[in-house]
Amino acid sequence: MRLEPRATPSARALLLAPLAAVAFTLLIASVLVAWTGAPVATTWGLLLQGGFGSVFAWSETLTRAVPLMLTGLAAAVAFQARLFNIGAEGQLYLGALAAVAVGGLHDGSGLALPPWLLFPLMMAAAALAGGLLLLGPALMKARLGVDEVVTTLLLNFIVALFIGAMLDGPMKDPLAMGWPQSVALQPELELAKLVPQTRVHTGLLWALVLAGALWAVMRRTVLGFQIRAVGANARAAAFAGVPVQRTVVLVALLSGALAGLAGAIEVAGRTSYLTLDLSPGYGYSGIVIAMLAGLHPLGVVLASIFVAGVLVGADSMSRAVGVPTYLADVIVATALLSVLVAALAARYRLVRSPAAGQGVA
């Protein structure tokens, strides 16, 4: 048995594939809910209510979706060029550290620059920090053939140790009573709230604009074509005149910059300072979101809202019926696997290989 590409994938199959994936995910999750003894219908109702059933629920979902969108975009653009960036978590933290270094209240005052100038400098520093962190693994892959999955993953741990050293050392807030956290941002640099009395901030607009801009770059520019060509076949792209190494470098800078901005926006929009628990794994979740979205920048927006809603809804659902919040992780993971398998089934078919020994006489 072997997989064979379909000559022309059916439009009906491509439409039904994600629906079948969703139905399979709901079935698996429902079995697990029933196994715990909780009422299945009530559990799903509470999860939807907790994630999307009120203004407060939507505000929490959208707040959590912002860093997921940015790390999802970071993974999507890198994966399209077959640069497998597993280091968005470290890039997020380094971007947050750079933002605090530029915009923080060091010695009680901070840099003596007007906010209209200091804010873009802070965001640029965060983007540059994330981009440069990914640039090293990208160059090692392009020139030496070093596996970027290993290097980017290991850099996450190195960055975590570096952040811990900085928060316990030169960037530690003297008013934190021994708690490892950075100094706070200058109040003028914090992002404004979109909805009063909620945590939704203008970082959501940043994420939406960046998703639209990335879609335009990927579909309407020469660079986007080069990225897709390198991802499809780097050797063929090089033969056709595409500068492969330069394209990989640009993708690394772009991907790392998006992840670094995720850290800066989290600090400026939600916490106002950096701690070791700033991210509950947004960098790794971004990979899942990018795959759920089929590496499409606009699809990343929808996938981020879906995942964020499931995570937020699972918190309130767990308190009401006692189902563990790990159900949210099961839903997201099963949805990812189901979507990948369904897409594979829509584009390929299983055919029987010729029996051994049946060669041409």
Side-chain angles (χ1 to χ4, degrees):
M1 305 295 286
R2 59 186 174 85
L3 288 175
E4 180 179 277
R6 298 181 188 272
T8 53
S10 167
R12 180 181 179 184
L14 293 175
L15 177 63
L16 292 178
L19 298 178
V22 171
F24 179 76
T25 301
L26 292 175
L27 175 62
I28 295 298
S30 297
V31 170
L32 295 177
V33 170
W35 191 9
T36 65
V40 175
T42 302
T43 299
W44 287 121
L46 289 170
L47 189 145
L48 292 175
Q49 180 71 22
F52 306 102
S54 65
V55 173
F56 174 76
W58 268 104
S59 70
E60 290 298 299
T61 294
L62 293 176
T63 300
R64 189 171 293 194
V66 171
L68 293 175
M69 288 182 195
L70 293 170
T71 56
L73 292 173
V77 67
F79 283 21
Q80 288 216 30
R82 289 192 178 274
L83 177 65
F84 297 109
N85 178 16
I86 315 298
E89 186 80 357
Q91 294 146 27
L92 181 151
Y93 270 101
L94 201 60
L97 184 71
V100 173
V102 173
L105 287 170
H106 306 288
D107 297 324
S109 58
L111 297 179
L113 294 173
W116 63 266
L117 178 59
L118 194 54
F119 183 82
L121 287 177
M122 177 182 74
M123 290 299 182
L128 184 62
L132 291 179
L133 184 62
L134 182 56
L135 182 59
L139 288 175
M140 286 192 290
K141 175 186 180 178
R143 297 185 177 181
L144 303 175
V146 179
D147 188 352
E148 77 279 14
V149 172
V150 176
T151 52
T152 54
L153 179 61
L154 293 179
L155 275 175
N156 288 336
F157 300 99
I158 295 173
V159 170
L161 294 173
F162 176 68
I163 296 293
M166 295 298 290
L167 297 186
D168 274 322
M171 295 192 67
K172 185 174 183 178
D173 186 354
L175 302 178
M177 297 184 294
W179 187 258
Q181 73 178 43
S182 73
V183 295
L185 285 182
Q186 299 180 33
E188 298 83 3
L189 301 179
E190 295 181 5
L191 296 173
K193 301 299 181 187
L194 280 179
V195 181
Q197 309 301 320
T198 69
R199 299 199 301 167
V200 184
H201 50 78
T202 52
L204 176 63
L205 302 181
W206 278 68
L208 294 175
V209 169
L210 287 171
L214 184 59
W215 173 83
V217 167
M218 294 301 300
R219 295 298 171 187
R220 307 295 184 190
T221 67
V222 173
L223 176 60
F225 172 78
Q226 291 174 341
I227 291 172
R228 288 182 280 117
V230 170
N233 191 317
R235 293 181 63 183
F239 182 78
V242 174
V244 174
Q245 288 194 14
R246 189 185 72 179
T247 302
V248 171
V249 167
L250 291 175
V251 167
L253 292 173
L254 178 57
S255 176
L258 288 166
L261 283 174
I265 288 175
E266 271 293 277
V267 170
R270 191 174 64 84
T271 64
S272 79
Y273 52 81
L274 173 60
T275 60
L276 291 173
D277 60 351
L278 175 70
S279 168
Y282 291 136
Y284 301 109
S285 299
I287 299 171
V288 176
I289 287 165
M291 299 305 296
L292 282 174
L295 306 184
H296 194 292
L298 301 183
V300 166
V301 174
L302 299 178
S304 301
I305 295 174
F306 162 72
V307 171
V310 170
L311 295 174
V312 172
D315 292 338
S316 60
M317 172 270 296
S318 177
R319 291 191 295 268
V321 295
V323 175
T325 56
Y326 295 116
L327 178 66
D329 298 324
V330 173
I331 294 173
V332 173
T334 306
L336 171 62
L337 295 175
S338 301
V339 166
L340 293 177
V341 172
L344 185 69
R347 290 178 168 81
Y348 292 83
R349 60 181 178 179
L350 194 63
V351 297
R352 178 175 295 180
S353 301
Q358 290 184 356
V360 178

